[in-house]
Structures are given as C-alpha cells and as structure tokens.
Amino acid sequence: MSMTEYKAKRDSCRQKIASKYDILGFISSGTYGRVYKAKSKNKDDGKEYAIKKFKPDKEGEAATYIGISQSACREIALCRELHHENIVGLQEVLLEDKSIHMVFEYAEHDLLQIIGFHSHPERKFMSEYTIKSFLWQLLNGVAYLHANWVMHRDLKPANILVTANGVVKVGDLGLARLFYKPLQPLFNGDKVVVTIWYRAPELLLGSRHYTKAIDIWAIGCIFAELITLRPIFKGEEAKVENKKTVPFQKNQLQKIFDILGNPTKERWPTIDQQPEYPNLSSFRQTPNILRSLYQSWPIKSDQGCNLLAAMLEYDPAKRITAEEALNHPYFQEDPKPGMDSFAGQPVEFPLRRITNEDKDMRATAPVQKAHPVPAVKDDRTTKRPRVE
Amino acid sequence: MAANFWTSSHATHWILDRRRLEEAMKEDLEYVDIATLTKIKMWYYNIIGKIGKRLQFRQQVVATAIVYFKRFYTKNSMRSTDPSLVAATCIYLACKIEECPQHIKHIITEMKNALANHGGFDYDTSKVAEFEFYLLEELEFYLIVYHPYRDLTIIAKNLKLEESNLQTACMATKKGVHHNAPQIEGHGINNRNMVQWFADLNVEIEEIIEITQEILSLYSIWKDYSEESIPAMIQSLKRPSRPTTPQQLQQQLLPQQQQQQQQQQQ
C-alpha cells in the first residue's frame, strides 16, 4: 500500500527554515556540504546560528539518492546527546529540500582563523593567557567526550571553534564515534582518520586498535601551533593510490622523528607490534630536541614543556589523558586559564567572513559588514590537507 | 550519554508512559484486538531479526532497528503506514548508527526475499532512502539507543546465573516493551533469596511487578503465535474503513439523498 497519505500529512506540518531563520550569508563549504550563518526570527531568541546543510549522499552515474551519509548520521546521533560548554551545541535538525540541516550555535572564530590572523601580515605571538585558556577549554571539552566514550578523530585548528566571548567549542563531529565495545575493529570502519599533520604515530604505523590517545596527540600538536603559529609536524601526505591500501606516511613520520627523535622499544615497548614497524629501519637516527626547541619559543614555562611532552608521548598507553592534563601543574601556575580566552587582550579579531555569493540558500537579510581585514591570501586555508 | 544512561536521550525523551502508548494504538485497535496487533508487531520484529541473521549482523544492530521500529509506532498507526517499508528503513539506519553500514541494495534484496510470500516489497533504493528522512523526523533525531545486554551480563555474573537464565532474560528484553535493564532481570531467577538484591537495585517494587506482568501477558500472547495466521491478521488490520454505526452510515448517505431530492425537485 502506498504511504502517500502519511507523507502528505508529515510534509504539511514541517516548518520551513525560512519561517524560523533569516539566512545572513554563506560561510564555507566542504565535502559534507555547505555552512550558512543565520539568525533566529524569534524575537525572544535573536541569537545567531550556523546552519550546516548536508549534500545528499549520491552514488553512481545516475546519482541515485542513497540516504544520509555516515558522517551526517554520526554527527546528528552524537550532537543530539552531548551537552557541554566546550562542545558546539546543536540547536535542532531540520529537513528541507531533501537535505539535512543541522542548526548549531554560532561561533565567531576558529583556531585556524585566529592563528592565521596572528601570522599575517607579520608574526605576532598570542599571549600565554590566551593560549592556556584555549588549551584548557579544548582539553575540558575532549575530556567530556572521552568520559562519554566518544573519540573525535579529527581535531585540528579549523575544527576548534571560539565564540566572540572567547569560549572554545569543539566542532565537526563528522568523524567522531563511540568506542565503547565496538562491534568491529575501529580500523574496519574508517581506514584513515585525523588530518595528516595532527595524526598520531600509532595511526601512521598502521595500528588497527587505536585509542582515545589519538585525540591527545592532536591536542599536543595544536598546543605547539598556538605557541609558534606554525604546524609542528608539517609533513607531505603520501597520496592514496587505491582505496584498499593505506600508503605509508614516511614524510610525516620523518617530521615527527626530526623533533622527538626515533621511537625505540624503550620509549614504546609495543612498537614492534605495529604493522608498519619493519619500515622504521629505513629512517636516519635523530635525537629528541623537543626541549631545546621549546626554549626558543616565546613561552618560558617548564611545566608547559612538560605538558607538551606528555601529550606528544610516543606510547599511546603512556600518553597523558585529557582528565590528567586538566590537572597538570601547568594550569596551576600563573597566568591561570579562564573561560574568556580573550580577556584583557588588546587584539580585536576580524569577524568570520560571510558572503552573499551562494546561490543555494540565498541570504534573506543584508550581509553585515565585517571588520575591515587586509585581504591576505591565506595558503593555510586552501592547501591544508583534509580528511576525506 | 554513553557513560550515563540517565542523562541520555533514551532516558530523558524515550521512556513513554502507558497513556501515550495506548493513544498510538487507538486507530489500529478499531480493526483488530490487542493480541492480534501484538502478534503482527512480533511478526515484523521477526522479519527484522531474520534479515539481521541473513546479513550476519550482531544482535545489537537488530535490537536498535527494532527499537526504531517501536518508536515509529508510538506515533503512528500500523494501518495508515506500511510496516515493511518502516522495517527496511529502520534496519538501514541502525546499521549506520551501529557503525556497520550495509549497502541499501542488500537490505532491499533481503527484504524482497523475506516478504516474497507475504505481499512482496515494492520499494527501490530511492524510496527507502527517501523514507529515511521521515524516520529520522519521527525519531526526533535521537538515534543512540541503549540495550541491556551489557548490564545483563554483569548482573548474571554477580548472581552466578546460568547461561539459560541469561538467554531467557535476553529474549524477554527483545520482545518486551521496556528497556530498563535492571528491572527485567528479576525474570528467570528462581529459588534464591532476592530480597536484598532487589533492595540494592533502588527501583520501585511496583515497577518490577508491572513489568513482570507485562512480560507474562506477552508470553501468553506468544504461546499461540503462529506465522501462518499472520497474513490474515494483517489483512483485517488493513481492511478498508467502513462506517461502524448506523448513525455514521446515515450521515454518509445524507448528502446523496439531498442531491437526489434536489434532482427530483428539478
């Protein structure tokens, strides 16, 4: 029998996005779809939102619609359950135009944009207070994820949002998943996780059963990048030639070894169980220079260096956990972290740029003027590798 | 959430009261009785289970699909929808959420096989994919479901229960209405002083009794469940609506009579 009647009934009571939100403009696009800035039409709310519109998952030349993507599924399922100050909040999910629209709380900035702003036109370092507040809040959000058995698996500056009030919001849970007693090895689900520069050594060595420690490695990389404004391990990604095999990321590992020295059985007792272990003999021997490198950086705290080293620990079993990191002595010493990472800072960040160029969801309200920003071409946004 | 059932959407949004469940069945119960309706639902749960077996899913995937199916029918009548399309879509979505995605075509093929002698399955990829939207909406986008299997194993260990007791408890939760793990445990445990154990559980004894009764009545319906009788039951559930009272009949005929009268007058 037909479901026409049922569908008609449901379709008729579905609220239009345009009846609830004013679209202010287009923010960005990616493999998943497009993001728009919007404002609630509700006078009592009046808050700003980011609406993520997913591209329908299509397949084959005829482009048959095959349902919502795994990534959208994960993000909806997890965001619907997670409620935390440092995790981007999901307001609601709407269906329209055969697409899923996730309505998130709006965040004016992200760490990629903030790092970029500090690097151009000339490099001006962030204050230690701001770095420490970003780091603490990021760890706070990730500790909450891990306590709830959620692994993020794609932590990188672009995915760490910051509100106009300096509050960190971990975003983009499209690769995140539950890891409580998985029905099959995590590797079977997604062959490649985490953007290459932030990818943990156990992943680069082909580990089948990785843990939440991969998120901590990425946070260590982000911590270093907040200090120096440059990615700490900026390797070249070996291209995936066919979908079945994952290439060995020799260049990325070399970048890590250049700073942390070669991993040994002493530092990482189970390293010989990693599938790519035999490949390690081809690397030149290098010493661990992390501490001396850190001395040349603008932050002088020894505890800061200890924390960084603990997050960039080779052995995932010995790597510090998010919960432990939150209690690290580095956060006890001055300047102490705060919930407004921008407090007392003279720097005024440019607002997120939005445009009116998108033809899909046309702006229904005039585009607001952003602060004047020098039109620097930021290669970081265009060339930065992404996890597909 | 995962760390704490009581803060999950399952606990905060999807523990429904009896009145709401009864409301959802109202329309169907005008056509069949409660035992028949329960049997029809069981039949669809079994279809989901069969497909899970054919595609070698873990039990958890089947259980999630069944919970989606049940949640859908706490808001809709079986009569006004097609449970076979709902079931297929529930399986497809559950696979994705439980991180073992299946190609939509495999599910459709298995659905066609399972329903070959029961009216068939006339939906293609695009129809199932389209219906996924409706299903998501009915589920209010709450997709993470808790199953008591883990708790059952832990409690069984604590009570030194045998495998067969655990099996019974698992079956009971699969067929049962509630998903509140510790409360269902009581079933299948005999010859033991359970007073202290129940006291430690910190659940109302009234609730345990209610659930036990629920399970017992389910068993009595289950006792004379036979697959062969289901098609006829579905037919009577789906039979065209017809006026039930003479008054309604009168009302329906009234416009016609008026028309006839008008024609006669002309």
Side-chain angles (χ1 to χ4, degrees):
Chain A
M1 81 242 35
S2 128
M3 295 271 269
T4 334
E5 213 172 298
Y6 163 84
K7 285 180 189 163
K9 197 172 94 192
R10 283 288 167 270
D11 292 342
S12 68
C13 54
R14 194 175 291 136
Q15 273 186 297
K16 285 273 178 205
I17 293 171
S19 73
K20 300 182 87 174
Y21 298 95
D22 279 322
I23 304 297
L24 302 178
F26 165 72
I27 297 174
S28 64
S29 67
T31 44
Y32 54 86
R34 313 171 74 80
V35 182
Y36 301 86
K37 183 175 178 177
K39 192 174 178 149
S40 170
K41 273 185 190 273
N42 181 350
K43 289 269 170 0
D44 298 327
D45 179 358
K47 280 206 282 281
E48 290 174 329
Y49 294 94
I51 300 185
K52 188 169 180 177
K53 176 179 180 178
F54 283 92
K55 270 199 290 227
D57 223 13
K58 284 182 180 164
E59 186 192 73
E61 278 173 29
T64 326
Y65 175 64
I66 56 156
I68 70 167
S69 67
Q70 182 75 5
S71 150
C73 261
R74 283 173 173 154
E75 198 165 9
I76 292 171
L78 293 172
C79 289
R80 205 78 172 115
E81 306 286 329
L82 298 166
H83 307 282
H84 188 272
E85 167 93 273
N86 295 120
I87 304 292
V88 67
L90 175 65
Q91 177 75 15
E92 61 177 334
V93 187
L94 297 166
L95 298 176
E96 195 169 307
D97 188 17
K98 292 201 167 179
S99 307
I100 299 268
H101 296 73
M102 293 181 78
V103 182
F104 288 104
E105 59 181 323
Y106 180 72
E108 195 58 65
H109 313 282
D110 58 64
L111 290 189
L112 179 63
Q113 174 220 41
I114 289 172
I115 291 167
F117 176 76
H118 276 271
S119 330
H120 298 287
E122 80 280 351
R123 185 142 73 146
K124 38 188 188 317
F125 293 115
M126 279 182 226
S127 79
E128 188 173 3
Y129 168 79
T130 301
I131 295 172
K132 208 188 252 188
S133 301
F134 284 158
L135 180 64
W136 191 88
Q137 293 187 42
L138 170 56
L139 283 164
N140 196 32
V142 172
Y144 170 80
L145 291 181
H146 289 177
N148 285 293
W149 302 96
V150 176
M151 244 189 252
H152 187 284
R153 306 199 299 178
D154 197 17
L155 290 174
K156 58 178 174 183
N159 288 344
I160 317 298
L161 309 174
V162 185
T163 67
N165 299 324
V167 179
V168 170
K169 303 276 179 187
V170 176
D172 200 345
L173 276 83
L175 254 184
R177 60 163 290 174
L178 286 171
F179 61 96
Y180 188 85
K181 293 198 181 164
L183 294 177
Q184 51 175 339
L186 297 182
F187 178 81
N188 290 6
D190 310 83
K191 300 286 181 252
V192 181
V193 293
V194 192
T195 304
I196 187 89
W197 297 343
Y198 308 92
R199 201 176 295 161
E202 62 270 29
L203 292 171
L204 296 166
L205 292 176
S207 186
R208 265 33 175 187
H209 289 279
Y210 52 86
T211 64
K212 59 190 166 96
I214 63 159
D215 284 340
I216 302 300
W217 178 275
I219 298 176
C221 299
I222 294 168
F223 181 24
E225 191 166 337
L226 288 171
I227 302 173
T228 66
L229 305 172
R230 303 276 183 271
I232 179 171
F233 308 126
K234 196 177 175 181
E236 293 276 331
E237 182 161 30
K239 284 280 164 289
V240 182
E241 270 163 26
N242 65 60
K243 281 188 174 171
K244 290 271 144 62
T245 57
V246 179
F248 180 57
Q249 299 291 351
K250 181 162 187 181
N251 186 269
Q252 182 63 28
L253 279 166
Q254 189 62 63
K255 298 286 178 199
I256 296 172
F257 299 170
D258 286 348
I259 293 176
L260 299 176
N262 301 61
T264 57
K265 272 212 79 173
E266 249 167 21
R267 291 171 79 181
W268 185 357
T270 56
I271 190 170
D272 56 351
Q273 291 165 23
Q274 302 294 322
E276 303 281 7
Y277 178 70
N279 276 321
L280 289 181
S281 54
S282 65
F283 287 84
R284 58 173 187 268
Q285 288 298 312
T286 50
N288 182 352
I289 57 158
L290 181 65
R291 279 177 195 275
S292 57
L293 187 69
Y294 185 88
Q295 300 303 319
S296 68
W297 293 352
I299 288 185
K300 297 302 169 208
S301 162
D302 286 344
Q303 288 298 357
C305 187
N306 291 342
L307 177 56
L308 179 63
M311 294 197 282
L312 297 180
E313 173 65 55
Y314 272 129
D315 185 349
K318 289 195 268 178
R319 204 172 296 151
I320 196 168
T321 66
E323 200 58 49
E324 288 161 359
L326 286 173
N327 295 312
H328 194 275
Y330 180 54
F331 293 116
Q332 310 300 323
E333 60 180 44
D334 287 325
K336 293 203 176 64
M339 274 319 253
D340 178 2
S341 316
F342 301 139
Q345 304 303 304
V347 207
E348 202 170 313
F349 291 104
L351 300 180
R352 196 179 281 288
R353 257 181 283 186
I354 59 171
T355 65
N356 215 343
E357 287 154 22
D358 189 71
K359 291 186 192 75
D360 192 9
M361 279 173 84
R362 226 174 254 286
T364 49
V367 172
Q368 65 183 85
K369 278 246 167 69
H371 288 220
V373 208
V376 184
K377 193 177 177 302
D378 185 358
D379 68 325
R380 306 164 57 99
T381 48
T382 47
K383 284 194 192 147
R384 188 160 284 233
R386 261 199 74 86
V387 171
E388 291 299 320
Chain B
M1 47 167 300
N4 183 353
F5 171 76
W6 301 108
T7 60
S8 71
S9 65
H10 192 151
T12 58
H13 287 80
W14 282 102
I15 305 280
L16 307 175
D17 61 24
R18 204 165 278 277
R19 195 190 302 159
R20 177 142 169 216
L21 297 178
E22 276 161 11
E23 185 64 36
M25 292 189 291
K26 221 168 124 192
E27 188 189 336
D28 289 335
L29 292 181
E30 285 171 21
Y31 294 82
V32 291
D33 62 14
I34 182 87
T36 307
L37 186 62
T38 310
K39 283 175 188 165
I40 294 174
K41 285 182 179 171
M42 275 182 186
W43 190 75
Y44 282 104
Y45 304 155
N46 285 342
I47 295 272
I48 295 175
K50 270 182 205 162
I51 288 168
K53 217 170 248 170
R54 293 272 307 179
L55 294 172
Q56 297 184 318
F57 296 164
R58 299 283 294 264
Q59 181 57 32
Q60 192 176 314
V61 184
V62 173
T64 298
I66 291 177
V67 172
Y68 289 168
F69 187 87
K70 287 181 179 179
R71 287 184 182 180
F72 183 89
Y73 284 112
T74 62
K75 295 181 169 184
N76 295 285
S77 68
M78 301 275 274
R79 219 186 108 72
S80 63
T81 56
D82 184 353
S84 67
L85 178 60
V86 178
T89 316
C90 288
I91 297 171
Y92 183 49
L93 186 60
C95 286
K96 286 193 262 192
I97 291 300
E98 297 294 348
E99 297 283 353
C100 55
Q102 283 288 325
H103 201 288
I104 192 164
K105 279 183 189 146
H106 291 158
I107 292 166
I108 291 173
T109 310
E110 288 307 327
M111 206 69 198
K112 282 188 196 297
N113 289 340
L115 294 175
N117 300 320
H118 300 282
F121 184 76
D122 284 333
Y123 301 96
D124 61 2
T125 305
S126 64
K127 281 285 183 313
V128 174
E130 185 203 20
F131 193 71
E132 190 181 36
F133 274 127
Y134 293 89
L135 178 61
L136 282 166
E137 210 166 45
E138 298 282 8
L139 297 174
E140 296 165 44
F141 304 97
Y142 292 118
L143 303 174
I144 295 180
V145 173
Y146 285 73
H147 300 296
Y149 302 119
R150 291 166 195 162
D151 309 72
L152 280 172
T153 332
I154 295 167
I155 292 168
K157 220 179 261 172
N158 285 347
L159 291 170
K160 301 194 181 63
L161 282 185
E162 285 157 28
E163 179 76 2
S164 63
N165 293 128
L166 193 61
Q167 290 269 329
T168 318
C170 277
M171 295 282 269
T173 56
K174 187 184 162 193
K175 308 278 176 184
V177 206
H178 294 256
H179 310 281
N180 217 341
Q183 304 177 352
I184 298 162
E185 316 300 328
H187 190 75
I189 304 167
N190 305 313
N191 312 325
R192 236 175 254 265
N193 181 8
M194 300 300 297
V195 177
Q196 188 55 46
W197 188 76
F198 277 120
D200 293 342
L201 274 185
N202 195 24
V203 288
E204 298 287 322
I205 194 74
E206 285 77 17
E207 276 190 67
I208 297 180
I209 292 168
E210 197 186 337
I211 291 169
T212 311
Q213 277 164 355
E214 187 85 19
I215 294 172
L216 287 177
S217 69
L218 198 63
Y219 276 146
S220 73
I221 293 175
W222 204 350
K223 212 168 50 198
D224 60 338
Y225 171 88
S226 83
E227 244 175 42
E228 296 73 50
S229 59
I230 300 295
M233 293 179 178
I234 294 179
Q235 241 174 14
S236 73
L237 174 68
K238 298 280 182 178
R239 72 178 182 265
S241 57
R242 54 159 197 265
T244 42
T245 63
Q247 285 92 338
Q248 281 174 328
L249 196 71
Q250 195 63 46
Q251 272 172 356
Q252 281 209 342
L253 291 174
L254 213 59
Q256 280 180 18
Q257 287 171 345
Q258 282 170 347
Q259 244 176 21
Q260 280 167 2
Q261 280 169 1
Q262 278 169 4
Q263 279 168 359
Q264 279 168 4
Q265 281 166 5
Q266 282 164 5

